Amino acid sequence: MFTVAYRIIHHDEDEVIGESGFFRITCGEAAYGEWWPEELWHVMPTVWLGSWFENLLDACLALQHQASVAVWDAETVGTWLEWKRMGERVTMNVAHAPGWKDDLITCERIPDSYCREYPTGVTCAYDQMKAEVAAKARQYLADLRALNPQPVQKMHRIQEKIQLLMQE
């Protein structure tokens, strides 16, 4: 099982309505990301939703041709989400690797010397991951369009990546 959940939380200082919120990935029995009850929505820190969708789309695209991909969690110092593809299955790990890379996403394998944290070794089907990321990214784009009267630059990049992913 692989699911993506997000909740848009609008702050007055946001340039684009819908750019901030909560984001959670569930792979197998493990979840990564913060999800807060409604009474805490406007006091807890939020993440950049569009960046998460772009990075997950990039990860799915990379896994079409690479055995491993790692995405940096920009909101958490030194934390990476790592996916390894083995046939039709994908294994997800969370690794604490401060200073390892300056990139947001890489196809290099995180060295074993860095600590893997919970969750480690949880698996899901690659096709399920790909379909879920594409579906939730489309839903996010629809939400952005509904909330913003003017087109948002990020919409185009996300839409292009969805199209590339679904061409496989």
Side-chain angles (χ1 to χ4, degrees), residues 78-80 82 84 93-101 108-117 120:
T79 300
W80 291 80
E82 175 185 51
K84 297 177 191 172
N93 295 298
V94 176
H96 186 67
W100 175 56
K101 287 274 189 195
E108 288 184 44
R109 190 174 180 282
I110 298 173
D112 290 335
S113 58
Y114 289 109
C115 176
R116 275 19 178 222
E117 300 173 349
T120 59

Side-chain angles (χ1 to χ4, degrees), residues 10-11 22 26-27 29 34 46 54 61 70 72 76 84 89 94-96 118 125 136 139 153:
H10 180 62
H11 301 289
F22 304 135
T26 302
C27 183
E29 299 297 317
E34 300 295 338
T46 57
E54 282 193 69
L61 286 164
W72 178 46
T76 308
K84 297 177 191 172
R89 303 290 297 168
V94 176
H96 186 67
Y118 178 83
K136 289 298 171 65
Q139 181 181 338
Q153 179 68 26

Side-chain angles (χ1 to χ4, degrees), residues 23 48-62 71 104-105 133 137 140-141 144 152-162 165:
F23 195 86
W48 296 95
L49 296 172
S51 295
W52 270 106
F53 280 111
E54 282 193 69
N55 290 342
L56 280 180
L57 287 162
D58 285 339
C60 289
L61 286 164
V71 173
L104 289 176
I105 186 167
V133 169
Y140 177 64
L141 287 178
L144 284 179
V152 177
Q153 179 68 26
K154 197 169 288 236
M155 287 183 198
H156 302 296
R157 292 193 311 261
I158 293 172
Q159 185 62 49
E160 289 171 2
K161 290 176 185 192
I162 293 169
L165 183 61

Side-chain angles (χ1 to χ4, degrees), residues 4-11 14 17-24 34-42 44-50 53 136 139-140 143 147:
V4 173
Y6 70 94
R7 170 151 328 267
I8 292 172
I9 306 294
H10 180 62
H11 301 289
D14 290 347
I17 299 172
E19 68 183 5
S20 299
F22 304 135
F23 195 86
R24 177 172 261 181
E34 300 295 338
W35 201 262
W36 303 101
E38 187 172 357
E39 61 270 14
L40 298 177
W41 285 358
H42 292 285
M44 297 310 293
T46 57
V47 299
W48 296 95
L49 296 172
F53 280 111
K136 289 298 171 65
Q139 181 181 338
Y140 177 64
D143 290 343
L147 293 168

Side-chain angles (χ1 to χ4, degrees), residues 80-97:
W80 291 80
L81 277 72
E82 175 185 51
W83 287 277
K84 297 177 191 172
R85 185 164 178 186
M86 296 163 286
E88 296 305 311
R89 303 290 297 168
V90 176
T91 300
M92 184 178 103
N93 295 298
V94 176
H96 186 67

